[in-house]
Amino acid sequence: LQLPTIMGQPEDVSRLSLHQVLLRNQIEVFEATEDDATTHTRGRNKRIQVGQVGIRCRHCKHLPILQRQKGSTYFPNSH
């Protein structure tokens, strides 16, 4: 899998609702950069690591990190 990549897949239309398909096509999976690692730390117990996988709004990604809407980028905890 090459990152970044859109979360939506062609087979989604046969497995998910139209609403879910629409949402998945607006989200991309990506790897954290140095900017992500030093900026997205509010409310986190663990720091974000460069290369950590996250999800983000594909329409907001071009904005500077501090200008993006809250919740437009998310780094799930890995266990």
Side-chain angles (χ1 to χ4, degrees):
L1 181 65
Q2 190 168 6
L3 298 179
T5 190
I6 300 296
M7 201 171 200
Q9 300 295 311
E11 61 272 11
D12 287 350
V13 294
S14 64
R15 298 180 183 165
L16 303 172
S17 72
L18 292 178
H19 182 80
Q20 290 169 317
V21 171
L22 174 68
L23 289 175
R24 284 175 56 90
N25 283 308
Q26 310 315 309
I27 299 169
E28 71 178 14
V29 180
F30 74 106
E31 290 181 301
T33 64
E34 186 67 38
D35 283 343
D36 295 309
T38 58
T39 306
H40 289 289
T41 56
R42 294 175 303 219
R44 291 191 60 89
N45 293 329
K46 294 171 110 179
R47 289 184 54 103
I48 293 164
Q49 302 297 314
V50 173
Q52 182 175 341
V53 174
I55 58 174
R56 66 183 172 199
C57 169
R58 69 184 184 114
H59 304 288
C60 300
K61 70 180 183 181
H62 68 282
L63 295 171
I65 290 174
L66 294 176
Q67 291 181 10
R68 295 178 194 164
Q69 291 293 313
K70 182 179 180 180
S72 67
T73 303
Y74 181 70
F75 292 96
N77 291 324
S78 58
H79 300 280

